[in-house]
Amino acid sequence: MALLAVLLPLLMLGVVLALGRYEDVLLPKEPDEADRPDGTAPVH
């Protein structure tokens, strides 16, 4: 039981980090405000 208490948070941390990396690869990055011409609004 103590082993589960130690390993479960580490496993959950690994899952969260893996999902973060997956999101970075899957979703395109939004252009920075400096990349847009003046006077244009960001598109959501």
Side-chain angles (χ1 to χ4, degrees):
M1 203 62 169
L3 187 62
L4 183 64
V6 171
L7 292 180
L8 189 60
L10 294 175
L11 179 65
M12 290 171 57
L13 177 62
V15 169
V16 168
L17 292 176
L19 286 174
R21 296 287 295 176
Y22 178 72
E23 180 184 14
D24 288 342
V25 170
L26 186 66
L27 298 176
K29 295 187 182 231
E30 294 183 9
D32 293 334
E33 290 187 17
D35 295 340
R36 290 194 317 261
D38 291 337
T40 58
V43 178
H44 292 283

